[in-house]
Amino acid sequence: MVVIKQGAEAKLTLGEFGGKQCLIKERFVKHYRHPDLDAHLTKERMRAESKTSARCQAAGVNAPQILHMDLNERKIYMEYFEKSITAKDYINNVLPKVSDSAEREQRINKLTGEIGTCIGKMHTNNLIHGDLTTSNILLDPLETDDSSFRDYKLIMIDFGLSSWSQSSEVKGVDLYVLERSLLSTHSGIPNLFNSILDAYKAANTGNLTEIIAKFEEVRARGRKRTMVG
Ligand SMILES: Nc1ncnc2c1ncn2[C@@H]1O[C@H](COP(=O)(O)OP(=O)(O)OP(=O)(O)O)[C@@H](O)[C@H]1O
Ligand SMILES: [Mg+2]
């Protein structure tokens, strides 16, 4: 059995469905939770994962095709992007190898532009990711032998905490989660979030002013909390 990742929440292994290679995401039983609550939460997350994946695709945002779901075994079978890497690995391991600084900057702009556009499309369709981090965004190379990822398709993954909501505040919080995670994961590149936000604004067609106001409100509350300790 090929294990792709063993995380705190789930184990990802390679498997097969309908004669095709796929990825199996199996959520662990959490023994510190009451068994009924744990079973309930796991099912909610699996349903959210499969629903939002399909809704993203309908909205023109790339996401894995969900092939099969086994609620009792806690397994989701999904499309596997074999050559992909996470945006986190791209920023941390691929970009530093680009020696030309102008090209590096161009690549950062392309990436932040695409991420902002994706999130903008999701929010326009009232799809809230719930856990926006660079580990939950994949780059799938267009040319299979392109190990430097010159051109790629962006794919959103990990929708266990996702939801459908029209609320500007919920969208603002989604953006705030991303900002916080970028600040901690990619502190060396300070403008990532602002460039993502620029592209987001260009792609989001609904309630933009209100979403940004809510985002700033949530951020101010966060700052205050940090100051008070
Ligand atoms: N469809 C996929 N194709 C290729 N790689 C994937 C795919 N889905 C996930 N991965 C890889 O596995 C990692 C973990 O997947 P995922 O983010 O879904 O789970 P998780 O973060 O452990 O779970 P959760 O946040 O739901 O508890 C990703 O960061 C990515 O590297
Ligand atoms: Mg994840």
Side-chain angles (χ1 to χ4, degrees), residues 5 25 131 133 135-136 157-158:
K5 200 205 135 183
K25 182 171 178 176
D131 188 16
T133 67
S135 299
N136 290 335
I157 58 164
D158 201 357

Side-chain angles (χ1 to χ4, degrees), residues 4-5 7 9-10 12 23 25 27 49 64 78-81 84 86 131 135-136 138 157-158:
I4 300 290
K5 200 205 135 183
E9 292 272 320
L12 289 99
L23 191 73
K25 182 171 178 176
R27 288 178 181 272
E49 180 120 49
M78 68 177 98
E79 180 180 1
Y80 176 51
F81 299 95
S84 69
T86 63
D131 188 16
S135 299
N136 290 335
L138 297 180
I157 58 164
D158 201 357

Side-chain angles (χ1 to χ4, degrees), residues 4-12 14 22-28 30 45 49 63-66 78-89 129 131 133-138 140 155-161:
I4 300 290
K5 200 205 135 183
Q6 176 114 34
E9 292 272 320
K11 180 169 82 180
L12 289 99
L14 281 188
C22 74
L23 191 73
I24 303 173
K25 182 171 178 176
E26 179 183 354
R27 288 178 181 272
F28 301 129
K30 297 267 176 77
R45 298 208 165 147
E49 180 120 49
Q65 184 89 38
I66 304 300
M78 68 177 98
E79 180 180 1
Y80 176 51
F81 299 95
E82 193 179 355
K83 304 276 181 189
S84 69
I85 57 170
T86 63
K88 179 180 173 184
D89 286 339
H129 187 285
D131 188 16
T133 67
T134 49
S135 299
N136 290 335
I137 299 172
L138 297 180
D140 192 36
I155 294 155
M156 303 302 284
I157 58 164
D158 201 357
F159 299 109
L161 296 173

Side-chain angles (χ1 to χ4, degrees), residues 84-100:
S84 69
I85 57 170
T86 63
K88 179 180 173 184
D89 286 339
Y90 177 74
I91 295 169
N92 289 344
N93 306 326
V94 178
L95 281 183
K97 288 191 194 124
V98 177
S99 50
D100 184 64

